């Protein structure tokens, strides 16, 4: 068995000869740690959190093996606990098993076959428990997201619809053309919010369920598409869009994910501008070198409060109420980057703007 693949086993016994004998018998097949007291055992556990199996003698001088296992159960729940004991302690052993403080016991003096059997069985149980733990975390995350999603649908879909219905109801009794135009403007904003929400849901589905399609990427081509998308917004809102792309080497990635990442970051940069600023600007800078694409999206908008920076990538989180949004965009960006093994960081100050930096490795 290769050194890196060896199962890590901790053996605790106050008799030095037992420690030496255990390590000598099993060191070739397993990575053995030994301790002749419980404080030393805790030190091993803190340094090696991937220890899978713990053997502990029941008759320890400072406390019993059952007491030790009961104490560490909440601190180190993952290692499988096995008690070494004589027949005189059988009642304590049965109680410990019933309370799930130990997995099983081995009688002393032990024989090699019993120890090996115990380690292998405990390791399989450890792996099964680890997989269950991971799946439970994934299920809990999915449940939390579903709960937030249900609230979001009620708020972000029904809200704009009610606004449209309200405007239609009022418009039936309005003859003044300017007032009607105001009503139409309100309905237009509500429809835009709905459209944005639907697009974010679509992006979310693509990220969560879609498979990556790796292909050659021409960043100039992708950026040109984004420039066309934001051309009208740039002109109407008087926001200067500056673009710089430097790509002198091939780059492979998932094109749909890249477009989604750029679109969301640029959309936020345009959306969260300071209204009375006469020099509004958004800068997009892309550099491809040494197998990595570095993307900077910079704006001089309203910025992000320091308390919010750690939360902005969470689903449905809104750092400001100045602009409408579903709280999906940056969550989708983060999720897509996880799939691409990429990273994102942000620097921002209130009233000064934000800089998002994305790094994506070549596929």
């Amino acid at each position: 068995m290769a050194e890196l693949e060896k199962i890590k086993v901790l053996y605790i016994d106050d008799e030095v000869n037992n420690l030496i004998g255990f390590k000598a018998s099993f060191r070739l097949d397993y990575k053995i740690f030994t301790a002749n007291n419980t404080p030393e055992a805790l030190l091993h556990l803190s340094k090696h959190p991937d220890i899978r199996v713990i053997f502990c003698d029941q008759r320890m001088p400072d406390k019993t093996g059952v007491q030790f296992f009961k104490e560490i159960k909440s601190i180190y729940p993952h290692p499988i606990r096995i008690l070494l004991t004589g027949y005189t302690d059988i009642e304590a052993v049965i109680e410990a098993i019933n309370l799930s403080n130990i997995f099983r016991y081995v009688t002393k003096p032990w024989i090699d076959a019993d120890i090996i059997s115990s380690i292998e069985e405990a390791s399989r149980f450890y792996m099964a428990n680890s997989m269950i733990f991971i799946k439970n975390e994934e299920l809990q995350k999915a449940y939390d997201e579903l709960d937030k999603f249900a609230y979001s649908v009620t708020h972000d879909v029904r809200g704009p619809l009610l606004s449209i219905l309200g405007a239609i109801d009022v418009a039936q009794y309005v003859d003044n053309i300017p007032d009607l135009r105001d009503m139409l403007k309100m309905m237009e904003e509500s429809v835009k919010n709905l459209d944005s929400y639907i697009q974010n849901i679509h992006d979310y589905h693509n990220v969560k369920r879609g498979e990556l399609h790796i292909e050659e990427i021409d960043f100039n081509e992708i950026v040109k598409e984004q420039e066309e998308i934001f051309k009208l917004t740039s002109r109407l809102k008087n926001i200067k869009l500056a673009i710089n792309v430097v790509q002198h080497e091939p780059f492979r990635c998932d094109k749909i994910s890249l477009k989604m990442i750029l679109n969301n970051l640029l959309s936020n940069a345009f959306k969260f501008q300071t209204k009375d600023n006469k020099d509004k600007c958004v800068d997009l800078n892309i550099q491809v070198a040494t197998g990595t694409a570095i993307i900077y999206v910079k704006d001089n908008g309203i910025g992000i409060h320091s308390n919010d920076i750690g939360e902005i990538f969470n689903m449905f989180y809104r750092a400001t109420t100045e602009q409408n949004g579903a709280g999906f965009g940056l969550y989708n960006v983060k999720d897509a980057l996880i799939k691409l093994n990429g990273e994102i960081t942000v620097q921002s100050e209130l009233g000064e703007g934000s800089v998002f930096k994305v790094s994506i490795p070549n596929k």
Side-chain angles (χ1 to χ4, degrees):
M1 187 180 292
E3 183 70 16
L4 292 176
E5 297 175 350
K6 285 183 178 180
I7 298 168
K8 291 185 178 181
V9 178
L10 172 60
Y11 181 86
I12 312 161
D13 199 318
D14 62 322
E15 296 182 27
V16 176
N17 288 337
N18 287 343
L19 297 176
I20 295 172
F22 190 93
K23 190 163 189 175
S25 298
F26 306 110
R27 64 184 178 82
L28 295 178
D29 294 319
Y30 308 104
K31 179 67 175 178
I32 304 298
F33 301 91
T34 59
N36 66 357
N37 54 61
T38 54
E40 189 179 342
L42 290 171
L43 187 61
H44 281 308
L45 288 168
S46 66
K47 289 183 177 179
H48 304 278
D50 56 343
I51 287 175
R52 292 190 187 182
V53 188
I54 306 173
F55 288 90
C56 184
D57 185 26
Q58 168 68 354
R59 297 295 181 95
M60 297 290 290
D62 54 341
K63 63 186 69 175
T64 68
V66 168
Q67 288 173 332
F68 174 67
F69 280 146
K70 184 178 180 180
E71 289 175 5
I72 69 168
K73 182 180 176 182
S74 60
I75 307 171
Y76 300 102
H78 300 302
I80 308 304
R81 302 171 295 276
I82 299 176
L83 196 68
L84 294 166
T85 182
Y87 287 108
T88 55
D89 299 310
I90 197 66
E91 289 186 8
V93 171
I94 292 172
E95 182 182 4
I97 292 174
N98 289 338
L99 294 174
S100 299
N101 292 326
I102 66 172
F103 175 66
R104 62 178 294 181
Y105 72 96
V106 176
T107 57
K108 292 181 71 175
W110 44 262
I111 60 175
D112 289 3
D114 287 343
I115 296 295
I116 292 171
S117 172
S118 298
I119 293 175
E120 296 300 322
E121 185 181 351
S123 180
R124 288 191 293 270
F125 192 74
Y126 174 93
M127 293 302 295
N129 274 355
S130 297
M131 291 301 297
I132 291 171
F133 179 79
I134 292 170
K135 291 298 180 184
N136 281 342
E137 283 194 326
E138 290 175 353
L139 284 171
Q140 185 60 51
K141 183 181 178 182
Y143 176 81
D144 292 341
E145 289 181 358
L146 183 62
D147 191 46
K148 292 177 182 178
F149 182 76
Y151 171 81
S152 177
V153 168
T154 302
H155 181 270
D156 294 304
V157 174
R158 193 163 183 267
L161 286 175
L162 289 176
S163 295
I164 293 169
L165 288 172
I168 291 172
D169 184 58
V170 172
Q172 295 180 67
Y173 307 100
V174 173
D175 296 323
N176 186 280
I177 297 299
D179 288 343
L180 283 172
R181 285 176 178 165
D182 289 340
M183 297 295 174
L184 288 172
K185 185 66 177 176
M186 290 172 58
M187 287 189 278
E188 180 188 22
E189 288 299 317
S190 295
V191 171
K192 284 181 178 178
N193 290 338
L194 273 176
D195 181 64
S196 175
Y197 183 82
I198 291 168
Q199 182 59 51
N200 281 321
I201 293 293
H202 181 262
D203 289 342
Y204 172 78
H205 176 78
N206 284 341
V207 170
K208 286 292 187 182
R209 298 290 180 259
E211 294 183 0
L212 297 180
H213 178 64
I214 306 302
E215 58 185 300
E216 292 286 340
I217 300 298
D218 181 349
F219 275 100
N220 286 292
E221 176 188 315
I222 291 178
V223 165
K224 188 176 181 181
E225 288 183 27
Q226 297 300 314
E227 190 175 15
E228 287 297 318
I229 290 172
F230 291 98
K231 181 185 291 184
L232 182 60
T233 304
S234 177
R235 187 166 70 247
L236 292 177
K237 295 188 176 182
N238 194 28
I239 302 172
K240 181 183 177 182
L241 175 60
I243 295 174
N244 180 48
V245 178
V246 179
Q247 181 181 5
H248 297 308
E249 63 182 56
F251 189 81
R252 290 173 56 80
C253 195
D254 179 65
K255 186 179 288 186
I256 292 176
S257 296
L258 276 178
K259 288 181 179 180
M260 188 272 289
I261 290 167
L262 280 173
N263 187 267
N264 274 287
L265 293 178
L266 288 171
S267 179
N268 282 348
F270 275 92
K271 183 188 297 182
F272 297 110
Q273 289 287 334
T274 305
K275 293 180 180 178
D276 56 358
N277 184 4
K278 294 182 180 179
D279 298 311
K280 296 188 283 287
C281 65
V282 174
D283 295 337
L284 172 61
N285 191 301
I286 300 176
Q287 303 171 19
V288 183
T290 62
T292 304
I294 306 294
I295 302 169
Y296 293 92
V297 178
K298 179 182 178 181
D299 67 73
N300 62 344
I302 62 175
I304 306 168
H305 195 284
S306 58
N307 293 337
D308 293 313
I309 287 180
E311 305 289 338
I312 59 175
F313 296 103
N314 294 335
M315 182 183 280
F316 302 122
Y317 190 83
R318 298 180 178 93
T320 178
T321 58
E322 290 191 25
Q323 293 285 347
N324 292 320
F328 258 112
L330 290 178
Y331 176 86
N332 285 337
V333 168
K334 183 73 172 180
D335 238 25
L337 286 169
I338 290 173
K339 275 194 167 185
L340 298 173
N341 295 321
E343 296 179 349
I344 185 168
T345 58
V346 57
Q347 294 180 332
S348 186
E349 289 186 29
L350 281 178
E352 299 294 328
S354 306
V355 180
F356 285 84
K357 177 186 176 183
V358 172
S359 60
I360 304 172
N362 186 14
K363 301 299 181 185

